Amino acid sequence: MIDKLWHSDESTTRTSLLIRPDLLFVYNGRFTEPGLMENIAQSAAVRAGYYHKNRQEPVPLGFIGAFKDLEIIDLPAVGDEIFTQVRLKQEVLDISIYEGEVSAGDQVLARCEIKIFVAQNPT
C-alpha cells in the first residue's frame, strides 16, 4: 500500500500512494478506513526496513500491536494521491511507537498513534 518512499531519516519517514480502483481497500470509489490504517502501518514498516538495510542489518519482523487515538477525518477518492508521514516517538525494548498522519493536498485525512512489536532476530 505504498508507491514511493520520499524521505526517511532517524525518526521520520514520508511515503505516498496513488489511490487506484484495483486497491484492496477501495469501496464505492473511496479508500476505506482499513486502507488508511494499513498505509500508516506499512509506512512504519518501510521506515524500519530502510533503517536496518542502511546499516547492513537484517530487517526484523514487526507486528501491529495497537492503534491509539485513531481519527479518520475523510476518505480519499480514486485518483487522489495520499502522503503519509510516520514519526518515531519512542522505542522501548521490542516496542516502537509512531505518530502517523495521512494527507491529500492540504487536507489531513487521518492521524493516529501506532504501536509495533518487533520480533528479535534469532542468533
Side-chain angles (χ1 to χ4, degrees):
M1 299 279 160
I2 293 171
D3 289 330
K4 294 179 186 174
L5 170 63
W6 290 94
H7 169 83
S8 193
D9 60 27
E10 294 292 320
S11 65
T12 304
T13 296
R14 188 164 165 82
T15 64
S16 67
L17 173 68
L18 177 64
I19 306 304
R20 299 178 304 276
D22 63 329
L23 289 178
L24 177 62
F25 295 109
V26 170
Y27 181 74
N28 285 338
R30 295 279 180 184
F31 194 53
T32 60
E33 293 87 343
L36 291 170
M37 294 168 71
E38 183 64 25
N39 176 260
I40 291 168
Q42 287 191 20
S43 294
V46 163
R47 183 254 170 211
Y50 188 80
Y51 177 85
H52 289 284
K53 283 287 188 184
N54 278 343
R55 284 156 185 74
Q56 317 236 330
E57 300 170 353
V59 177
L61 187 58
F63 302 92
I64 298 170
F67 282 89
K68 179 179 171 187
D69 299 327
L70 176 63
E71 182 182 6
I72 305 290
I73 299 153
D74 200 3
L75 300 175
V78 168
D80 288 347
E81 185 172 26
I82 61 173
F83 292 86
T84 303
Q85 181 169 294
V86 292
R87 184 182 68 79
L88 181 64
K89 282 180 60 174
Q90 188 174 22
E91 283 183 308
V92 178
L93 301 174
D94 301 340
I95 302 169
S96 298
I97 300 172
Y98 294 90
E99 288 178 334
E101 184 175 277
V102 182
S103 60
D106 293 335
Q107 182 184 13
V108 174
L109 302 174
R111 61 173 65 101
C112 69
E113 184 176 282
I114 181 172
K115 186 182 298 182
I116 297 180
F117 294 93
V118 178
Q120 292 299 311
N121 293 322
T123 54

